[in-house]
Amino acid sequence: MNLAWMLPIPVLLPLLSAGLALVVGSRPRIQQLIALVALVTSLVFGVILAVGADSGPIVLDVGSWAAPIGITLVADRLSSLMLVVSQIVMLSVHVYSLAQNLIDEGADVPVAIYHPTYLVLCAGVSNSFLTGDLFNLYVGFEILLAASFVLITIGGTRGRTRAGTVYVIVSLVSSLLFLIGIALTYAAVGTANMAQMSTRLREIDPSVALVIQLVLLVAFGIKAAVFPLAAWLPDSYPTAPAPVTAVFAGLLTKVGIYALIRLQVLLFPGEGLEGFLTFVGIATMIVGILGAIAQDDIRRLLSFTLVSHIGFMIWGLALVNKAGLAATIFYAAHHILVQTTLFLIVGLIERHEGSTSLRTLGGLAKSHPILSLMFFVAGLNLVGIPPFTGFIGKVGLAQASVVQGGWEGYSLLAAGMVTSFLTLYAFVKVWNFAFWQSSNDEHITDADPARVRTARQKRAVNRAIRAASERASTSLRLRESSRTKNEKERTGASVLMYASAGSLIGVMVAMTIGAGPMYAYASNAALDQMDRATYLHSVLKENGRGHGTSQYAQSDAPENLQKFAKPAQEDAARDVRHDDRTIPAEVRPTRSELWSHQWRPPYVTDDDPAIQERIENLKLTRRYVEGYPQGRDSR
């Protein structure tokens, strides 16, 4: 069955529904129903595409325009997995926001635009995951960013406007760099189709290719919030309403990670930036978690852990092997769920207590046991305690580091272990202050220096008190200036809010139970990326221009198109001669063979004798399995 016709639905349906919801803006109930139906329907089609993509990439040339003119939509394992997880999160967050009555907080809140804006955000995320065209990826980014500009300032408070201004400026800078990168790429290779770019970028001057790669790397790094480009995030995300913060934390940075995977694996495979990415991954993990343990507000603490755990995904990307990429993909899917869930739970805490400051919270384990259990499970998953998916992803990254060896692999492994222990410390800190101990217990700022005996100890205590007071004061000012009147009150939470956050807990548990097939899917997605032949053949076909009928110059076609057809066909023929589609299909491992080798506790690597024997029998070189460029020694 041809599923290509379904590809535009996750993008078009939310956009069309957003327009319809805006038309009925005076009827909030109808708006809610339209948004809910659109998100549920998109999720159904996303699941169907993910199942279909397991048999091979699903490709659609929009409007039947062939590359390099047309825009191509592609659903392979990587994009389908990210799409389905993101749609689950977007649906759950939307139900949470309905229950919270986010759009009905006061006369100053733009009631009519919340649901349309949220749907536009969903369409932008879906378009970013499904596109096979670099410029259309830019369009997807701009769609979701335009919607996020509205959502991050919803409520119109002073703090949100200030944070939104910073967010807008940083986003515009990253978008400008992205656009410059697209212009450089098109000037160098004459196409924005990523499959064609994958072939042609290997033929241009290496210094030009490096400039293009670095420009795009910085643009995507800002969007993914990697060090040192992440300073904007902890001050921007915590100021938004809880559902908005949750969907931002779960999805927007992962779109940047997805773009980095396409950049480093599909467009510039193994191009000598492993050392740079290693440094970025280590710095992102360590700096982010050190920022987290210094916070006195749960929202800001989670924002810093968000930055820190982006470093785990850079870790897998820096290793340049299939095991590392598979762990990165799996960990990204895990982190979307766990980070979104934690921010929704923090939103529930704020609804009950009117605050998220650790200085004012306490005794939640006794007063709200269900809420405490939800936070405990999600927190353990974030830390990476067995048997949760966080542990599985980190073990995969650790194994990939050992397989890789060298200073890069062991440095990343050491940094990951330190970050995991510090994440545990941050989680225990929140649990002790907010959930376990009474709110009447003494904090450092309540200490009496007069009770300290020596002058040296008194000076140390005074310094600690001043530092803690400054942090608490800064955190309090930021939080109070960003909250609306209703958010400052203890308005309580509904059962539906608990159910929506609990549903994500259920998805995490289900993902843990089905970790074997899930990790196998991620491993196959990694193999698809590194063995680019499957992707290139599916997108470009044998003619080098894809499925579109516009590649053939009709006699009644405009003269300029007829002139374009012949050189485009010549370029496509050259692409076919140079890309990886020369691998005979019969020598590639079948889907069942891949499945059987992807999951063996803890995980099977490429050094497994059974896999090596299979590779030898099929006469596959390591280049096609690991994705190394020709002539590069495998590790």
Side-chain angles (χ1 to χ4, degrees):
M1 179 181 179
N2 186 9
L3 302 178
W5 65 272
M6 296 184 181
L7 283 170
I9 293 178
V11 181
L12 290 180
L13 184 59
L15 283 177
L16 295 175
S17 301
L20 183 59
L22 196 58
V23 170
V24 296
S26 59
R27 300 184 177 182
R29 297 296 182 187
I30 298 179
Q31 272 194 335
Q32 295 171 8
L33 180 61
I34 291 173
L36 192 61
V37 170
L39 292 176
V40 171
T41 306
S42 297
L43 175 59
V44 171
F45 280 100
V47 172
I48 295 174
L49 287 172
V51 174
D54 197 30
S55 300
I58 304 170
V59 182
L60 175 68
D61 289 329
V62 177
S64 196
W65 286 91
I69 300 176
I71 294 175
T72 302
L73 298 179
V74 185
D76 58 358
R77 289 187 180 99
L78 172 60
S79 58
S80 298
L81 177 62
M82 300 295 285
L83 177 67
V84 170
V85 176
S86 66
Q87 287 175 329
I88 292 172
V89 164
M90 288 186 291
L91 177 59
S92 297
V93 171
H94 183 260
V95 173
Y96 183 100
S97 66
L98 293 181
Q100 182 176 292
N101 249 338
L102 178 67
I103 60 172
D104 194 25
E105 292 183 341
D108 296 331
V109 178
V111 174
I113 67 169
Y114 172 72
H115 291 291
T117 306
Y118 189 84
L119 288 170
V120 170
L121 177 78
C122 299
V125 171
S126 299
N127 184 71
S128 299
F129 287 142
L130 290 175
T131 185
D133 184 275
L134 193 63
F135 186 79
N136 196 36
L137 178 62
Y138 170 80
V139 172
F141 275 147
E142 294 309 297
I143 291 174
L144 68 90
L145 287 176
S148 66
F149 296 160
V150 177
L151 294 175
I152 202 169
T153 56
I154 198 166
T157 62
R158 181 179 179 182
R160 286 178 188 169
T161 302
R162 173 188 172 277
T165 301
V166 174
Y167 177 76
V168 169
I169 293 174
V170 172
S171 299
L172 290 178
V173 170
S174 67
S175 296
L176 178 61
L177 288 173
F178 191 4
L179 199 57
I180 293 173
I182 294 172
L184 293 174
T185 304
Y186 193 83
V189 300
T191 182
N193 183 286
M194 288 192 280
Q196 287 187 325
M197 288 169 57
S198 176
T199 299
R200 298 183 186 181
L201 282 169
R202 289 178 288 171
E203 303 173 4
I204 67 175
D205 189 304
S207 60
V208 175
L210 180 61
V211 170
I212 294 172
Q213 183 182 12
L214 289 176
V215 171
L216 293 175
L217 191 64
V218 173
F220 296 153
I222 295 175
K223 297 181 185 299
V226 302
F227 180 86
L229 308 173
W232 57 272
L233 190 149
D235 287 334
S236 299
Y237 282 10
T239 61
V244 175
T245 301
V247 77
F248 280 18
L251 291 181
L252 299 195
T253 53
K254 307 312 178 299
V255 176
I257 290 294
Y258 171 82
L260 285 174
I261 293 174
R262 293 292 193 194
L263 175 70
Q264 292 299 113
V265 182
L266 178 62
L267 302 184
F268 298 95
E271 292 295 333
L273 292 181
E274 300 91 338
F276 176 73
L277 289 176
T278 298
F279 168 77
V280 170
I282 292 173
T284 303
M285 285 189 281
I286 299 299
V287 174
I289 199 60
L290 290 178
I293 62 179
Q295 302 306 311
D296 291 316
D297 183 90
I298 306 180
R299 279 202 184 198
R300 286 182 60 81
L301 185 148
L302 289 178
S303 296
F304 276 98
T305 61
L306 167 62
V307 173
S308 176
H309 286 243
I310 292 296
F312 282 92
M313 299 164 224
I314 302 299
W315 172 1
L317 199 57
L319 294 176
V320 199
N321 60 35
K322 183 180 72 67
L325 183 58
T328 290
I329 296 171
F330 183 85
Y331 199 86
H334 141 81
H335 200 252
I336 290 174
L337 289 170
V338 70
Q339 201 73 45
T340 304
T341 305
L342 283 169
F343 273 104
L344 291 183
I345 293 171
V346 171
L348 292 173
I349 294 174
E350 188 173 30
R351 298 284 290 189
H352 285 298
E353 302 298 321
S355 174
T356 56
S357 173
L358 295 178
R359 291 176 49 79
T360 59
L361 295 173
L364 291 176
K366 183 177 181 180
S367 59
H368 300 91
I370 297 178
L371 180 62
S372 304
L373 179 61
M374 292 168 62
F375 182 87
F376 187 77
V377 173
L380 291 182
N381 201 357
L382 178 69
V383 173
I385 301 298
F388 293 107
T389 51
F391 171 76
I392 296 172
K394 289 178 181 179
V395 169
L397 289 169
Q399 186 184 31
S401 290
V402 173
V403 170
Q404 178 80 355
W407 72 269
E408 299 101 332
Y410 291 113
S411 298
L412 286 164
L413 178 59
M417 293 179 65
V418 171
T419 303
S420 296
F421 281 115
L422 291 177
T423 303
L424 177 61
Y425 171 81
F427 170 73
V428 171
K429 174 183 175 180
V430 174
W431 181 260
N432 283 340
F433 278 96
F435 292 88
W436 195 250
Q437 68 186 35
S438 170
S439 59
N440 297 324
D441 286 355
E442 185 179 89
H443 292 261
I444 182 66
T445 52
D446 301 322
D448 184 7
R451 292 183 295 179
V452 181
R453 293 182 178 180
T454 67
R456 183 177 180 181
Q457 290 176 333
K458 287 182 180 180
R459 289 194 297 270
V461 170
N462 283 324
R463 285 196 299 269
I465 290 174
R466 285 196 299 271
S469 298
E470 290 174 1
R471 289 197 304 269
S473 177
T474 301
S475 178
L476 180 62
R477 289 199 306 271
L478 289 173
R479 288 293 302 126
E480 291 301 311
S481 65
S482 65
R483 299 165 72 200
T484 63
K485 181 180 178 181
N486 281 16
E487 289 173 343
K488 295 177 182 179
E489 300 174 355
R490 301 186 181 187
T491 51
S494 67
V495 175
L496 188 57
M497 292 173 67
Y498 273 90
S500 59
S503 66
L504 292 181
I505 297 283
V507 173
M508 284 194 295
V509 173
M511 187 174 172
T512 300
I513 296 173
M518 185 77 174
Y519 204 96
Y521 196 95
S523 296
N524 290 336
L527 185 58
D528 287 344
Q529 303 309 302
M530 306 202 85
D531 174 17
R532 298 177 299 162
T534 302
Y535 183 91
L536 297 177
H537 183 269
S538 299
V539 174
L540 299 179
K541 308 302 289 185
E542 288 77 7
N543 55 32
R545 296 193 62 194
H547 307 256
T549 58
S550 67
Q551 59 192 291
Y552 306 108
Q554 304 294 332
S555 58
D556 58 346
E559 184 179 354
N560 61 327
L561 291 183
Q562 293 189 44
K563 290 181 178 180
F564 180 83
K566 185 176 180 180
Q569 290 286 11
E570 292 173 352
D571 290 341
R574 186 187 72 250
D575 292 342
V576 172
R577 290 194 300 269
H578 286 82
D579 66 30
D580 292 332
R581 287 177 290 148
T582 55
I583 310 173
E586 61 269 14
V587 304
R588 300 184 192 129
T590 65
R591 184 160 59 99
S592 60
E593 290 169 338
L594 288 173
W595 180 277
S596 65
H597 290 303
Q598 293 308 319
W599 182 258
R600 290 182 182 175
Y603 307 105
V604 173
T605 70
D606 296 328
D607 297 326
D608 182 82
I611 295 182
Q612 291 300 324
E613 182 181 358
R614 173 62 179 166
I615 293 174
E616 182 64 27
N617 292 339
L618 295 176
K619 298 181 180 179
L620 277 173
T621 66
R622 193 175 179 85
R623 169 179 178 244
Y624 296 119
V625 177
E626 291 277 333
Y628 288 97
Q630 192 171 11
R632 178 189 175 108
D633 292 335
S634 59
R635 296 179 185 261

